[in-house]
Amino acid sequence: MEPWVEWTIMGGRAAVAWVIPLMLIPLLVWMERKASAYIQDRTGPNRAAILGLRFGGIIHALADVVKLIFKEDITPARARPFWYNLAPIVAMTFALLTFAALPFADVLRVGGHEIPLQALRLNPGLLWMLAIGSFGVFGIVFAGWGSNSSYPLLGGIRGSAQMISYELSLGLSVVGILMIFSTIDLNEIVRAQGKLLFGFLPMWGVVVQPVAAVIFMAAALAEANRNPFDLMEADSEIVAFHLEYSSLRFALFMMTEYVHITVASGLTVTLFFGGWQIPWLTTERLTGSAGDLALAVPALLVVLGLLVLLSLVLLAPTRRWHRTLQRLYVDARRHEAKFWTVVLLLQAIGALALGAYLFLNPPGADGLAAITAALQFVSFMVKVTFFGFAFIWVRWTLPRFRYDQLMALGWKGMLPLALANVVVTGFVLLLVGK
Amino acid sequence: MKVPSPKLTFWERIYVVEIIRGLGVTMGHLLKNLFRQSEMPTVQFPEEIKPVATRHRSRHRLTVREDGTPKCVACMCCPTACPASCIHIIAQEADAPWKEKKPRVFEIDLLRCVFCGFCVEACPEDAIRMDTGEVTIVGTRREDFIVGLDFLLHGEGNAWREGRPEEKPQPGPGEPLLPPSTPEEESGRGPRQVLRPKLPSAWETVREVKP
Ligand code: SF4
Ligand code: SF4
């Protein structure tokens, strides 16, 4: 490959790994607000509009951005400027760097080249995740120290204490996965999860290591500073570690929280829920390189067909909605249903056209590989978005732990359990003779 | 004081089962509200206007006699009763032989008003009432909230209950001054009315009625 092509591909990979978490931020913020509202029997935000179209409140993300940009940026007079300014940058940088090692599809083989579809192809990818992931707490500690104010300082101390206690369980729960898949290359771990257990069950981490999965998810919540472990952001007691921040610096902290969610759910998916694997459809079966069926095109056709079906099924409620809107409103909102009708129809037509094109021009080996990568990418994103939603869902279900309960759970509950899991896994592996 | 904490069973102590049950509860609410949005208790305010209960004390108005003149005789009972001192009246001689005075200036500062309704109780002439049903009082300056005689007499929303121009039936002897609220009104879940949002009216400030 020519060097410039290689550099472009490398840049593209980095850009994708950068854009995924950033693009998920508005979506997650929207889900957080809407889901929390519906869980609490409220309507949630629905006022911000573009040309009168409100899109169920997602425009509020834009409104937030505009608001945060134009707010006054205040640095407290007694702050320690170096740490104060460094904190949001550190938090955001490490959160984004952590995502870089996650594979979002299998290695793409086109034209005799191998393109790993992850920003950082590292052999010790898992170690990278654990190492860089725990750097994120420095943002919180710096913010607490740099603000020179008691509440943020409390938040920073709580953050570091919590990180120390939960990092242990997190690392130990991953050990079980290492023992079973005997690799720390994240892409290899995902590939290994494509195998079948007893001939029918995909060998996902959650199937072979259920206890580790539960511990890992709880610890990941703690790492992402999410409820029920958001002690450093406990609004009702100490406000937050970013109490003294305003404007875009605060926005960085807030975005970091959602990047953390993306990272945590990406890691959960990669280690325990098959990463980019589509259940029962490994890369070999999809591309047909192992003399197996080439299922990529039929799989894509099925996906497109489902898309068309979904669009057509959704048209009926949209029509009903349209009639309601016409009755209710005199402003631009009465056109919202029309807009969605057009979107649904375009989606159906696009899917049909793509399907027809694929049907008439069967792709070659490279085409199959590309389609496979696209399908795996979609699978990965669907899983990550689902777990992002799950973290939000947990937040609006559980109350916050008290500090002593948090420590007791971490040291007396999860740590022994994770250790026991390692021992039991070892014995089982010995017995199975692996 | 020592509050005994409840004993948890084993399944409650390992959290996981209870957490999953809790997740089920919240997901139930989410799905119910997602698919039955019209049953959500939220009132989408400017588009949907909840009917105000009959007994609700809303913005004041001054009533008029059959000949169109204000009923108020400038007796100064209401400014005396007002705990917020927000009624300002300047009296002038009335032209009719059967009443002594009438207001030349009658201003209420709605920003100071606490909507206690004492002025209504104090009035011997049933000249001031708080039954307009107007609860959205909008202005962009403080002066906008000082409403004068003209507005109180003929302002928007003064006809008792929007869309019902006829006068409220007077209570007969022995009847309560205000009709009891209907259960529908009390619960605030009356029939949903959907009205167009009103523009902030440019309210008159001090306006004198020419004698
Ligand atoms: S309602 Fe109360 S505060 Fe308001 S004007 Fe009447 S007496 Fe004064
Ligand atoms: S109490 Fe009634 S009659 Fe007397 S000044 Fe007030 S509104 Fe007029």
Side-chain angles (χ1 to χ4, degrees):
Chain A
M1 240 190 281
E2 285 170 55
W4 70 269
V5 180
E6 225 161 287
W7 281 101
T8 317
I9 289 174
M10 210 180 290
R13 279 157 51 195
V16 172
W18 195 62
V19 162
I20 292 173
L22 290 185
M23 288 316 286
L24 277 178
I25 292 171
L27 188 69
L28 286 172
V29 172
W30 174 71
M31 286 207 289
E32 174 119 273
R33 289 177 154 190
K34 265 324 213 200
S36 68
Y38 284 171
I39 282 171
Q40 300 171 343
D41 292 345
R42 298 180 283 116
T43 343
N46 63 357
R47 291 285 140 178
I50 291 180
L51 299 176
L53 300 176
R54 298 183 177 191
F55 303 118
I58 203 161
I59 311 281
H60 276 262
L62 272 180
D64 281 349
V65 171
V66 174
K67 180 193 124 183
L68 284 168
I69 287 179
F70 287 104
K71 275 188 100 159
E72 189 185 354
D73 187 13
I74 301 167
T75 307
R78 298 280 202 86
R80 302 183 169 89
F82 179 71
W83 303 112
Y84 181 82
N85 292 329
L86 193 63
I89 303 171
V90 167
M92 191 59 167
T93 311
F94 284 114
L96 280 176
L97 269 183
T98 322
F99 198 82
L102 285 179
F104 34 82
D106 200 2
V107 177
L108 180 63
R109 293 189 176 79
V110 279
H113 301 287
E114 290 201 351
I115 305 169
L117 290 184
Q118 64 198 101
L120 275 174
R121 182 78 205 269
L122 287 172
N123 286 339
L126 190 53
L127 292 187
W128 166 275
M129 299 290 304
L130 293 178
I132 301 297
S134 44
F135 265 112
V137 79
F138 277 102
I140 294 170
V141 175
F142 289 171
W145 178 247
S147 303
N148 201 1
S149 153
S150 16
Y151 285 139
L153 186 61
L154 265 179
I157 292 171
R158 283 179 177 196
S160 47
Q162 180 179 322
M163 172 64 69
I164 290 169
S165 353
Y166 280 79
E167 188 82 345
L168 278 173
S169 323
L170 189 85
L172 280 174
S173 66
V174 168
V175 170
I177 286 285
L178 298 188
M179 289 163 79
I180 286 186
F181 298 126
S182 5
T183 173
I184 48 172
D185 184 332
L186 287 171
N187 198 36
E188 289 305 316
I189 290 179
V190 178
R191 287 187 66 87
Q193 294 183 52
K195 292 198 203 99
L196 295 181
L197 200 65
F198 311 128
F200 67 97
L201 208 56
M203 208 168 118
W204 285 5
V206 69
V207 177
V208 289
Q209 284 281 309
V211 179
V214 171
I215 297 174
F216 184 87
M217 277 193 275
L221 275 179
E223 291 262 316
N225 308 334
R226 292 290 294 183
N227 220 337
F229 305 109
D230 62 343
L231 266 290
M232 59 282 275
E233 233 187 283
D235 312 71
S236 47
E237 341 172 342
I238 60 163
V239 190
F241 61 90
H242 48 52
L243 169 64
E244 305 287 353
Y245 286 84
S246 56
S247 187
L248 274 182
R249 281 183 240 246
F250 167 74
L252 266 181
F253 274 123
M254 181 165 160
M255 281 154 63
T256 308
E257 185 177 341
Y258 291 97
V259 174
H260 272 309
I261 295 184
T262 315
V263 171
S265 61
L267 206 49
T268 312
V269 164
T270 304
L271 293 179
F272 293 99
F273 291 88
W276 40 256
Q277 292 279 8
I278 309 165
W280 299 288
L281 295 178
T282 58
T283 316
E284 284 71 31
R285 292 193 74 182
L286 282 170
T287 53
S289 63
D292 214 336
L293 298 160
L295 283 174
V297 173
L300 188 61
L301 286 180
V302 167
V303 171
L304 292 178
L306 284 179
L307 204 60
V308 173
L309 207 64
L310 186 74
S311 317
L312 296 182
V313 167
L314 282 181
L315 276 181
T318 315
R319 267 181 66 82
R320 221 178 316 133
W321 187 33
H322 175 71
R323 258 178 268 131
T324 319
L325 290 184
Q326 296 296 316
R327 190 162 46 77
L328 280 182
Y329 299 129
V330 289
D331 50 12
R333 261 174 301 161
R334 48 189 0 232
H335 306 305
E336 245 168 56
K338 280 186 220 159
F339 176 85
W340 286 115
T341 311
V342 171
V343 168
L344 284 176
L345 282 177
L346 282 181
Q347 189 178 308
I349 292 170
L352 277 178
L354 194 57
Y357 175 81
L358 277 177
F359 202 68
L360 296 178
N361 309 298
D366 286 358
L368 274 183
I371 290 175
T372 305
L375 282 175
Q376 288 171 340
F377 180 70
V378 170
S379 162
F380 178 71
M381 286 315 290
V382 167
K383 288 178 190 174
V384 168
T385 317
F386 172 77
F387 277 95
F389 170 74
F391 284 165
I392 287 167
W393 182 15
V394 167
R395 172 172 180 186
W396 296 102
T397 304
L398 300 182
R400 184 182 304 126
F401 276 102
R402 217 171 49 212
Y403 195 68
D404 58 323
Q405 291 171 336
L406 176 93
M407 285 297 157
L409 179 70
W411 290 103
K412 293 189 201 158
M414 281 165 55
L415 186 61
L417 199 60
L419 274 172
N421 183 50
V422 171
V423 175
V424 170
T425 310
F427 270 116
V428 170
L429 284 182
L430 255 182
L431 287 180
V432 175
K434 193 171 166 187
Chain B
M1 194 175 89
K2 190 157 165 50
V3 181
S5 42
K7 265 252 170 285
L8 300 182
T9 63
F10 172 74
W11 291 109
E12 283 170 350
R13 247 181 307 134
I14 62 165
Y15 294 125
V16 177
V17 184
E18 291 294 306
I19 286 176
I20 291 172
R21 268 189 29 189
L23 288 175
V25 170
T26 45
M27 183 46 88
H29 275 261
L30 196 152
L31 291 179
K32 190 193 87 204
N33 289 322
L34 190 64
F35 291 109
R36 297 179 189 269
Q37 302 225 352
S38 51
E39 289 171 21
M40 220 182 270
T42 314
V43 175
Q44 296 294 331
F45 168 59
E47 297 92 24
E48 284 181 303
I49 292 179
K50 206 170 79 168
V52 177
T54 326
R55 299 156 61 91
H56 184 89
R57 295 193 291 270
S58 45
R59 205 205 62 219
H60 318 65
R61 68 177 173 121
L62 290 180
T63 50
V64 289
R65 292 173 200 281
E66 271 159 19
D67 60 357
T69 54
K71 277 189 185 170
C72 173
V73 292
C75 69
M76 300 291 172
C77 281
C78 56
T80 311
C82 178
S85 313
C86 65
I87 305 179
H88 173 59
I89 298 174
I90 299 176
Q92 67 179 357
E93 202 138 322
D95 23 23
W98 44 269
K99 63 176 175 180
E100 283 179 17
K101 294 190 288 182
K102 66 178 182 181
R104 184 160 68 90
V105 173
F106 193 116
E107 287 170 18
I108 300 180
D109 186 346
L110 291 173
L111 279 185
R112 294 186 64 176
C113 171
V114 294
F115 292 87
C116 60
F118 287 1
C119 48
V120 180
E121 301 295 329
C123 182
E125 294 286 320
D126 188 21
I128 186 164
R129 286 190 189 174
M130 297 180 75
D131 58 2
T132 49
E134 283 280 298
V135 285
T136 52
I137 299 165
V138 186
T140 50
R141 298 164 304 160
R142 289 183 183 195
E143 298 81 59
D144 290 349
F145 293 92
I146 304 175
V147 291
L149 191 52
D150 203 28
F151 181 79
L152 285 169
L153 281 170
H154 312 296
E156 203 182 339
N158 268 14
W160 185 68
R161 289 298 146 106
E162 194 108 19
R164 245 201 283 176
E166 76 275 11
E167 188 74 354
K168 182 167 85 169
Q170 293 290 320
E175 282 179 36
L177 216 54
L178 289 169
S181 302
T182 59
E184 248 181 7
E185 286 176 339
E186 282 293 342
S187 66
R189 300 283 299 158
R192 288 243 167 133
Q193 288 175 303
V194 178
L195 304 171
R196 286 171 76 152
K198 275 206 196 75
L199 293 174
S201 45
W203 283 1
E204 307 278 327
T205 49
V206 183
R207 177 70 88 78
E208 289 186 16
V209 179
K210 294 273 152 23

